[in-house]
Amino acid sequence: MTDDQLLWLSNGLTIGLLTGCVILWLRFFRQPSAERSAFLAPRKRIQSPLGLVDVGMMFLMWAVGISAAIELAGRETVGSPRTVAIVGITQLMMTVLTLGVIAFRYGPSSRIIGLRLPGILNDVQLGTIVFLMAVPPILLLQALLVQLIPYEHQSLDMLNNRQGMYTAWFSAVLVAPVCEEIFFRGMLQGWLQRIDLKQWFAAPQEGGSGGPPFEVIGGGFRHINGDPIEMPKEREGLYFTTGRYIPKLVTRDSAHVWLPITIASAFFASMHLGQGPAPIPLFLLSLVLGYVYHRTHSMIACITIHMLLNAFSMAVGTLQVLRENGAGVAMP
């Protein structure tokens, strides 16, 4: 393709994304308030049993696995397509191993972190809609920041040859979304929400209910002030049991909901220090991902948003490199 064709294609992707964003927001505000309220409606979920040991275990497994992969490939080759591919495969393996450990300790990890296959198409659709509505404004902010601070990313440095291009797409579009969402949303945010919620659990008074009114909505789920939470069977040291504790103040906009999201987002953004202005827009992206995860408990939706962002960024970056070997855009 000629340089002009590549430029038109790159601009077409950007214009198409912005157009989709505007159309979806217009449709959203034209809907009745009841339908708008149903968007990102809370879903039934298990209160995360994960603790600091689990989060630390995954982080340690990642660190050891990546270090071993780098040693295997040779430290002098760090940043090469071969080493990046080996590290990416190692990250996926460590993530799968961590999910296995969680399943062994607590039961099906798919239920605990929200990685459910039933309804996957609906979750992919939800993630696509959220991506189109929320990500374009973040990308516009990023485009402004890149004018002030140069952006750097190793994936863009590998786009100059075919092998590097395949590796960069594999790392950015598959490895990063899957591994990072499972860790930052499923494990870190899940654990922080449990720690925060623990402060809002009150033991019942002698002869009293011990909490505000609640509504039993079936299947072992209790619905308090807007958010449904599944109360699992009693298991000492793991769950708050329905017989001893009643959750209260579980609201969609309270500080104890946003604090875990914000902390997880700060860690997420800090992982991308050294990439110019990327931590700023990626912090905002993480707030969106955290809120979606809090409301829907869908890991599939979060991974979809993350994948689409990175795929868009890689597509624009690839076209720019092919056209003029220019700089790209931020990728978490």
Side-chain angles (χ1 to χ4, degrees):
M1 299 179 70
T2 65
D3 289 349
D4 288 340
Q5 288 175 325
L6 292 172
L7 179 60
W8 275 100
L9 183 56
S10 178
N11 290 339
L13 288 175
T14 303
I15 294 173
L17 183 64
L18 293 175
T19 302
C21 178
V22 172
I23 292 175
L24 285 175
W25 277 110
L26 289 175
R27 290 186 59 184
F28 178 78
F29 285 115
R30 290 180 60 185
Q31 290 178 337
S33 58
E35 293 186 20
R36 291 201 300 267
S37 300
F39 186 62
L40 293 182
R43 299 182 185 178
K44 303 172 183 179
R45 82 284 307 272
I46 289 178
Q47 177 63 45
S48 175
L50 302 178
L52 179 60
V53 172
D54 302 294
V55 177
M57 174 191 65
M58 183 170 186
F59 183 81
L60 182 62
M61 290 173 62
W62 268 26
V64 172
I66 292 173
S67 297
I70 292 175
E71 291 293 338
L72 177 65
R75 288 193 173 274
E76 66 279 1
T77 64
V78 172
S80 68
R82 177 174 176 270
T83 301
V84 172
I86 293 175
V87 169
I89 293 172
T90 302
Q91 285 180 296
L92 289 174
M93 292 173 60
M94 292 299 100
T95 301
V96 172
L97 180 59
T98 301
L99 294 178
V101 173
I102 293 175
F104 177 78
R105 294 189 64 188
Y106 304 119
S109 56
S110 59
R111 297 187 67 201
I112 293 173
I113 67 171
L115 195 62
R116 297 183 179 182
L117 294 183
I120 184 173
L121 294 181
N122 291 332
D123 286 345
V124 169
Q125 182 183 35
L126 174 63
T128 302
I129 293 173
V130 174
F131 165 77
L132 290 172
M133 295 179 69
V135 171
I138 296 175
L139 291 176
L140 287 176
L141 171 63
Q142 170 193 302
L144 294 175
L145 293 174
V146 168
Q147 303 304 313
L148 303 175
I149 307 173
Y151 172 73
E152 298 178 0
H153 196 286
Q154 71 170 6
S155 293
L156 295 173
D157 298 334
M158 295 188 295
L159 293 178
N160 293 302
N161 60 79
R162 188 174 298 274
Q163 180 185 5
M165 186 177 295
Y166 292 153
T167 303
W169 276 80
F170 166 72
S171 176
V173 181
L174 177 62
V175 176
V178 172
C179 297
E180 291 180 5
E181 289 310 306
I182 288 177
F183 177 72
F184 286 104
R185 245 57 64 183
M187 297 195 67
L188 181 58
Q189 182 177 319
W191 167 58
L192 290 172
Q193 286 178 335
R194 184 175 75 88
I195 295 296
D196 194 43
L197 283 172
K198 185 176 181 180
Q199 302 174 10
W200 300 85
F201 276 73
Q205 301 293 328
E206 193 75 26
S209 65
F214 61 88
E215 176 188 1
V216 179
I217 60 176
F221 292 90
R222 295 191 175 192
H223 191 288
I224 304 93
N225 293 345
D227 284 354
I229 294 182
E230 182 176 354
M231 309 303 288
K233 294 180 180 179
E234 182 174 357
R235 182 173 175 183
E236 186 175 357
L238 178 60
Y239 297 114
F240 296 104
T241 64
T242 56
R244 295 183 56 198
Y245 296 96
I246 295 178
K248 62 179 181 179
L249 300 180
V250 184
T251 59
R252 62 176 180 230
D253 57 354
S254 59
H256 77 276
V257 166
W258 279 104
L259 184 59
I261 295 174
T262 303
I263 294 175
S265 297
F267 277 101
F268 178 79
S270 68
M271 292 288 290
H272 302 86
L273 292 174
Q275 299 177 12
I280 298 174
L282 294 184
F283 175 76
L284 299 178
L285 169 70
S286 188
L287 292 179
V288 173
L289 291 167
Y291 185 71
V292 170
Y293 183 70
H294 165 70
R295 295 289 290 179
T296 67
H297 196 62
S298 171
M299 183 58 58
I300 298 297
C302 293
I303 290 175
T304 299
I305 298 169
H306 201 148
M307 279 185 169
L308 289 174
L309 171 64
N310 282 12
F312 176 83
S313 301
M314 284 298 298
V316 172
T318 300
L319 292 172
Q320 288 177 333
V321 168
L322 292 175
R323 185 171 63 89
E324 57 185 11
N325 197 27
V329 291
M331 290 170 293

